[in-house]
Amino acid sequence: MTANNDRPDRRFSQQDCPAVHLVVPIKPLHLAKSRLLGEGARRPEAHAELVMAVALDTVAAARRADGVAGIVVVTSDPALTAEFTAEGVEVLADLPAAGLNAALRHGDAALRARVARVGALQADLPALRPDDLGAAIRAAGADRSFCPDHHGTGTTLLLAEPGRPLDPRFGSGSADAHAGSGAKPLVGPWDSLRCDVDTEADLRAATALGLGPRTKAAIA
Ligand SMILES: Nc1nc2c(ncn2[C@@H]2O[C@H](COP(=O)(O)OP(=O)(O)OP(=O)(O)O)[C@@H](O)[C@H]2O)c(=O)[nH]1
Ligand SMILES: C=C(OP(=O)(O)O)C(=O)O
Protein backbone atom coordinates (compact mmCIF):
# COMPACT_ATOMS: atom_id res chain seq x y z
CA MET A 1 0.00 0.00 0.00
CA THR A 2 1.30 3.42 -0.86
CA ALA A 3 -0.26 5.77 1.66
CA ASN A 4 -2.25 5.68 4.83
CA ASN A 5 -5.37 7.77 5.27
CA ASP A 6 -6.92 5.91 8.19
CA ARG A 7 -9.04 8.03 10.47
CA PRO A 8 -9.77 5.79 13.47
CA ASP A 9 -11.35 8.79 15.20
CA ARG A 10 -14.34 8.83 12.79
CA ARG A 11 -16.61 6.52 14.79
CA PHE A 12 -20.27 6.69 15.58
CA SER A 13 -20.63 7.70 19.18
CA GLN A 14 -24.24 6.65 19.78
CA GLN A 15 -23.98 3.07 18.60
CA ASP A 16 -21.70 0.22 19.41
CA CYS A 17 -20.71 0.11 15.76
CA PRO A 18 -17.22 0.78 14.45
CA ALA A 19 -16.64 3.03 11.49
CA VAL A 20 -15.97 1.31 8.19
CA HIS A 21 -12.97 1.10 5.90
CA LEU A 22 -14.16 1.06 2.30
CA VAL A 23 -12.51 -0.86 -0.52
CA VAL A 24 -12.99 0.96 -3.85
CA PRO A 25 -12.09 -1.19 -6.89
CA ILE A 26 -11.25 0.49 -10.19
CA LYS A 27 -10.43 -1.18 -13.52
CA PRO A 28 -7.57 0.11 -15.67
CA LEU A 29 -8.74 3.33 -17.33
CA HIS A 30 -8.55 1.96 -20.88
CA LEU A 31 -10.87 -0.92 -19.92
CA ALA A 32 -13.24 0.84 -17.51
CA LYS A 33 -16.82 1.80 -18.33
CA SER A 34 -16.78 0.02 -21.67
CA ARG A 35 -20.57 0.39 -22.00
CA LEU A 36 -20.26 4.16 -21.72
CA LEU A 37 -17.32 4.21 -24.14
CA GLY A 38 -19.31 2.05 -26.55
CA GLU A 39 -22.02 4.69 -26.82
CA GLY A 40 -19.43 6.79 -28.63
CA ALA A 41 -20.12 10.20 -27.11
CA ARG A 42 -16.42 10.93 -26.47
CA ARG A 43 -12.97 9.87 -27.65
CA PRO A 44 -10.93 7.33 -25.61
CA GLU A 45 -8.71 10.01 -24.01
CA ALA A 46 -11.75 12.02 -22.90
CA HIS A 47 -13.39 8.81 -21.69
CA ALA A 48 -10.36 7.91 -19.55
CA GLU A 49 -10.34 11.45 -18.16
CA LEU A 50 -14.04 11.13 -17.29
CA VAL A 51 -13.61 7.74 -15.57
CA MET A 52 -10.74 9.17 -13.51
CA ALA A 53 -12.78 12.26 -12.58
CA VAL A 54 -15.77 10.14 -11.53
CA ALA A 55 -13.58 7.95 -9.33
CA LEU A 56 -11.87 10.96 -7.75
CA ASP A 57 -15.22 12.65 -7.00
CA THR A 58 -16.61 9.40 -5.56
CA VAL A 59 -13.66 8.90 -3.23
CA ALA A 60 -13.50 12.58 -2.23
CA ALA A 61 -17.16 12.46 -1.16
CA ALA A 62 -16.76 9.11 0.63
CA ARG A 63 -13.80 10.40 2.64
CA ARG A 64 -16.00 13.16 4.05
CA ALA A 65 -18.83 10.84 5.12
CA ASP A 66 -19.53 10.14 8.78
CA GLY A 67 -18.85 6.54 9.62
CA VAL A 68 -16.03 6.20 7.07
CA ALA A 69 -12.67 5.70 8.77
CA GLY A 70 -10.58 5.04 5.67
CA ILE A 71 -10.53 4.23 1.95
CA VAL A 72 -8.40 1.77 0.02
CA VAL A 73 -8.47 1.95 -3.77
CA VAL A 74 -7.66 -1.36 -5.49
CA THR A 75 -6.33 -0.87 -9.00
CA SER A 76 -3.54 -1.84 -11.37
CA ASP A 77 -3.76 1.43 -13.30
CA PRO A 78 -0.60 3.58 -12.98
CA ALA A 79 -2.35 6.92 -13.60
CA LEU A 80 -5.05 6.15 -11.02
CA THR A 81 -2.40 4.97 -8.57
CA ALA A 82 -0.41 8.18 -8.98
CA GLU A 83 -3.46 10.42 -8.72
CA PHE A 84 -4.94 8.78 -5.62
CA THR A 85 -1.56 8.55 -3.93
CA ALA A 86 -1.06 12.27 -4.52
CA GLU A 87 -4.45 12.83 -2.86
CA GLY A 88 -3.29 10.85 0.19
CA VAL A 89 -5.52 7.87 -0.54
CA GLU A 90 -4.17 4.40 0.12
CA VAL A 91 -3.76 2.30 -3.04
CA LEU A 92 -3.45 -1.48 -3.14
CA ALA A 93 -2.14 -3.10 -6.34
CA ASP A 94 -4.81 -5.27 -7.97
CA LEU A 95 -4.33 -8.97 -8.65
CA PRO A 96 -3.68 -9.59 -12.37
CA ALA A 97 -6.91 -10.12 -14.34
CA ALA A 98 -8.74 -11.64 -11.40
CA GLY A 99 -11.98 -9.65 -11.69
CA LEU A 100 -14.09 -7.43 -9.49
CA ASN A 101 -14.96 -9.78 -6.62
CA ALA A 102 -11.36 -11.04 -6.43
CA ALA A 103 -10.16 -7.41 -6.23
CA LEU A 104 -12.60 -6.80 -3.39
CA ARG A 105 -11.56 -9.96 -1.53
CA HIS A 106 -7.94 -8.87 -1.99
CA GLY A 107 -8.72 -5.49 -0.38
CA ASP A 108 -10.76 -7.14 2.35
CA ALA A 109 -7.92 -9.53 3.21
CA ALA A 110 -5.42 -6.68 3.41
CA LEU A 111 -7.67 -4.58 5.61
CA ARG A 112 -9.41 -7.02 7.91
CA ALA A 113 -6.33 -7.82 9.98
CA ARG A 114 -6.02 -4.19 11.04
CA VAL A 115 -9.48 -2.60 10.93
CA ALA A 116 -12.78 -3.23 12.67
CA ARG A 117 -15.15 -3.25 9.73
CA VAL A 118 -14.81 -3.48 5.93
CA GLY A 119 -17.14 -2.37 3.16
CA ALA A 120 -17.08 -2.01 -0.62
CA LEU A 121 -18.04 1.13 -2.53
CA GLN A 122 -18.34 1.35 -6.30
CA ALA A 123 -16.14 4.00 -7.93
CA ASP A 124 -18.78 5.26 -10.35
CA LEU A 125 -20.90 7.54 -8.16
CA PRO A 126 -20.08 11.06 -9.47
CA ALA A 127 -23.00 12.74 -7.65
CA LEU A 128 -22.26 11.10 -4.29
CA ARG A 129 -22.99 13.31 -1.28
CA PRO A 130 -21.23 12.52 2.01
CA ASP A 131 -24.52 12.88 3.93
CA ASP A 132 -26.19 10.15 1.86
CA LEU A 133 -23.36 7.69 2.42
CA GLY A 134 -23.18 8.55 6.11
CA ALA A 135 -26.93 8.06 6.50
CA ALA A 136 -26.80 4.66 4.79
CA ILE A 137 -23.92 3.51 7.00
CA ARG A 138 -25.83 4.66 10.05
CA ALA A 139 -28.97 2.81 8.89
CA ALA A 140 -26.93 -0.37 8.46
CA GLY A 141 -26.09 -0.48 12.15
CA ALA A 142 -23.89 -3.52 12.70
CA ASP A 143 -25.69 -5.64 10.09
CA ARG A 144 -24.33 -7.02 6.85
CA SER A 145 -26.04 -4.60 4.46
CA PHE A 146 -26.12 -3.38 0.89
CA CYS A 147 -27.48 -0.42 -1.06
CA PRO A 148 -29.13 -1.28 -4.40
CA ASP A 149 -28.28 0.91 -7.38
CA HIS A 150 -30.89 3.21 -8.96
CA HIS A 151 -32.06 0.44 -11.29
CA GLY A 152 -32.62 -1.86 -8.31
CA THR A 153 -30.55 -4.68 -9.81
CA GLY A 154 -26.95 -3.75 -8.97
CA THR A 155 -25.18 -2.75 -5.76
CA THR A 156 -23.33 0.45 -4.94
CA LEU A 157 -22.37 -0.21 -1.31
CA LEU A 158 -21.80 -3.44 0.63
CA LEU A 159 -21.02 -3.45 4.35
CA ALA A 160 -19.74 -6.51 6.17
CA GLU A 161 -20.60 -7.15 9.78
CA PRO A 162 -17.79 -5.90 12.06
CA GLY A 163 -14.95 -8.42 12.05
CA ARG A 164 -16.55 -10.58 9.37
CA PRO A 165 -15.44 -11.21 5.76
CA LEU A 166 -16.84 -8.94 3.05
CA ASP A 167 -18.01 -11.88 0.92
CA PRO A 168 -18.72 -9.73 -2.17
CA ARG A 169 -21.20 -10.91 -4.81
CA PHE A 170 -20.92 -8.06 -7.31
CA GLY A 171 -21.78 -8.53 -10.97
CA SER A 172 -25.02 -8.88 -12.91
CA GLY A 173 -27.98 -9.12 -10.51
CA SER A 174 -25.83 -8.38 -7.48
CA ALA A 175 -28.68 -6.82 -5.47
CA ASP A 176 -30.46 -10.19 -5.40
CA ALA A 177 -27.15 -11.98 -4.80
CA HIS A 178 -26.34 -9.78 -1.82
CA ALA A 179 -29.87 -10.15 -0.42
CA GLY A 180 -29.51 -13.90 -0.86
CA SER A 181 -26.26 -13.82 1.10
CA GLY A 182 -28.17 -12.45 4.09
CA ALA A 183 -27.37 -8.76 3.57
CA LYS A 184 -30.00 -6.22 4.64
CA PRO A 185 -31.18 -3.86 1.88
CA LEU A 186 -30.52 -0.23 2.76
CA VAL A 187 -33.53 1.69 1.58
CA GLY A 188 -33.67 5.44 2.03
CA PRO A 189 -33.71 8.78 0.22
CA TRP A 190 -30.08 8.46 -0.80
CA ASP A 191 -30.31 9.10 -4.53
CA SER A 192 -26.69 10.15 -4.84
CA LEU A 193 -25.51 6.85 -3.35
CA ARG A 194 -27.68 4.85 -5.74
CA CYS A 195 -26.77 6.68 -8.95
CA ASP A 196 -23.96 4.60 -10.47
CA VAL A 197 -22.99 5.50 -14.02
CA ASP A 198 -22.72 2.82 -16.71
CA THR A 199 -24.42 4.61 -19.63
CA GLU A 200 -25.05 8.10 -20.99
CA ALA A 201 -28.57 7.92 -19.50
CA ASP A 202 -27.03 7.22 -16.08
CA LEU A 203 -24.67 10.16 -16.58
CA ARG A 204 -27.68 12.42 -17.31
CA ALA A 205 -29.36 11.15 -14.13
CA ALA A 206 -26.21 11.91 -12.11
CA THR A 207 -25.97 15.35 -13.74
CA ALA A 208 -29.54 16.09 -12.63
CA LEU A 209 -28.58 15.20 -9.05
CA GLY A 210 -25.46 17.38 -9.17
CA LEU A 211 -22.03 16.18 -10.26
CA GLY A 212 -18.84 16.42 -8.26
CA PRO A 213 -16.43 19.16 -9.40
CA ARG A 214 -13.99 16.98 -11.31
CA THR A 215 -16.69 15.17 -13.24
CA LYS A 216 -18.37 18.48 -14.04
CA ALA A 217 -15.07 19.80 -15.40
CA ALA A 218 -14.39 16.61 -17.36
CA ILE A 219 -17.66 16.75 -19.26
CA ALA A 220 -17.67 20.52 -19.76
N1 LIG B 1 -9.77 -3.41 -9.30
C1 LIG B 1 -10.74 -3.86 -10.13
N2 LIG B 1 -11.88 -3.16 -10.28
C2 LIG B 1 -12.83 -3.64 -11.11
C3 LIG B 1 -12.66 -4.84 -11.84
N3 LIG B 1 -13.77 -5.04 -12.58
C4 LIG B 1 -14.60 -4.01 -12.33
N4 LIG B 1 -14.03 -3.15 -11.46
C5 LIG B 1 -14.60 -1.90 -10.93
O1 LIG B 1 -15.81 -2.22 -10.26
C6 LIG B 1 -16.72 -1.15 -10.37
C7 LIG B 1 -18.06 -1.68 -10.85
O2 LIG B 1 -17.94 -2.24 -12.12
P1 LIG B 1 -18.89 -1.81 -13.31
O3 LIG B 1 -19.95 -0.88 -12.84
O4 LIG B 1 -19.33 -3.01 -14.05
O5 LIG B 1 -17.90 -0.91 -14.18
P2 LIG B 1 -17.02 -1.33 -15.41
O6 LIG B 1 -16.62 -2.77 -15.30
O7 LIG B 1 -15.94 -0.33 -15.51
O8 LIG B 1 -18.06 -1.09 -16.60
P3 LIG B 1 -18.29 -1.95 -17.95
O9 LIG B 1 -16.97 -2.07 -18.64
O10 LIG B 1 -19.26 -1.13 -18.72
O11 LIG B 1 -18.84 -3.28 -17.50
C8 LIG B 1 -16.09 -0.11 -11.28
O12 LIG B 1 -15.51 0.90 -10.46
C9 LIG B 1 -15.00 -0.89 -11.99
O13 LIG B 1 -13.90 -0.07 -12.36
C10 LIG B 1 -11.42 -5.56 -11.67
O14 LIG B 1 -11.18 -6.60 -12.25
N5 LIG B 1 -10.50 -5.03 -10.80
C1 LIG C 1 -20.84 -4.83 -10.90
C2 LIG C 1 -21.90 -4.10 -10.64
O1 LIG C 1 -22.08 -2.94 -11.31
P1 LIG C 1 -22.99 -2.79 -12.61
O2 LIG C 1 -24.24 -3.56 -12.34
O3 LIG C 1 -23.16 -1.32 -12.65
O4 LIG C 1 -22.16 -3.34 -13.70
C3 LIG C 1 -22.88 -4.43 -9.60
O5 LIG C 1 -23.79 -3.61 -9.37
O6 LIG C 1 -22.75 -5.50 -8.98
Coordinates of all heavy atoms in Angstrom, one line a residue, residues 35 100 122 154-155 170-171 174 196 198, ligand 2:
R35 N -19.2 0.1 -21.5 CA -20.6 0.4 -22.0 C -20.7 1.9 -22.4 O -21.2 2.2 -23.4 CB -21.7 0.0 -21.0 CG -21.9 -1.5 -20.9 CD -22.7 -1.9 -19.7 NE -21.9 -2.0 -18.5 CZ -22.3 -2.3 -17.3 NH1 -23.6 -2.5 -17.1 NH2 -21.5 -2.4 -16.3
L100 N -13.6 -8.4 -10.5 CA -14.1 -7.4 -9.5 C -14.2 -8.1 -8.1 O -13.7 -7.5 -7.1 CB -15.5 -6.9 -9.9 CG -16.3 -6.1 -8.9 CD1 -15.5 -4.9 -8.4 CD2 -17.5 -5.6 -9.6
Q122 N -18.7 1.2 -4.9 CA -18.3 1.4 -6.3 C -17.7 2.7 -6.6 O -18.0 3.7 -5.9 CB -19.6 1.2 -7.1 CG -20.3 -0.1 -7.0 CD -19.6 -1.3 -7.7 OE1 -18.4 -1.3 -7.8 NE2 -20.4 -2.2 -8.2
G154 N -28.4 -3.7 -9.4 CA -26.9 -3.7 -9.0 C -26.8 -3.3 -7.5 O -27.8 -3.0 -6.8
T155 N -25.5 -3.1 -7.1 CA -25.2 -2.7 -5.8 C -24.1 -1.6 -5.8 O -23.2 -1.7 -6.6 CB -24.6 -4.0 -5.0 OG1 -25.5 -5.0 -5.1 CG2 -24.2 -3.6 -3.6
F170 N -20.6 -9.1 -6.3 CA -20.9 -8.1 -7.3 C -21.0 -8.7 -8.7 O -20.5 -9.8 -8.9 CB -19.9 -7.0 -7.3 CG -20.0 -6.0 -6.1 CD1 -19.5 -6.3 -4.9 CD2 -20.8 -4.8 -6.3 CE1 -19.7 -5.5 -3.8 CE2 -20.9 -4.0 -5.2 CZ -20.4 -4.3 -4.0
G171 N -21.6 -8.0 -9.6 CA -21.8 -8.5 -11.0 C -23.3 -8.4 -11.3 O -24.0 -7.8 -10.6
S174 N -26.5 -8.3 -8.8 CA -25.8 -8.4 -7.5 C -26.7 -8.0 -6.3 O -26.5 -8.4 -5.2 CB -24.5 -7.5 -7.4 OG -24.8 -6.2 -7.6
D196 N -25.2 5.0 -9.8 CA -24.0 4.6 -10.5 C -24.1 4.9 -12.0 O -25.2 4.9 -12.5 CB -23.6 3.1 -10.2 CG -24.7 2.2 -10.6 OD1 -25.9 2.6 -10.7 OD2 -24.4 1.0 -10.8
D198 N -23.2 3.8 -15.7 CA -22.7 2.8 -16.7 C -23.0 3.3 -18.1 O -22.4 2.7 -19.1 CB -23.4 1.5 -16.5 CG -23.0 0.8 -15.2 OD1 -21.7 0.7 -15.0 OD2 -23.8 0.4 -14.4
Ligands
LIG2 C1 -20.8 -4.8 -10.9 C2 -21.9 -4.1 -10.6 O1 -22.1 -2.9 -11.3 P1 -23.0 -2.8 -12.6 O2 -24.2 -3.6 -12.3 O3 -23.2 -1.3 -12.7 O4 -22.2 -3.3 -13.7 C3 -22.9 -4.4 -9.6 O5 -23.8 -3.6 -9.4 O6 -22.7 -5.5 -9.0

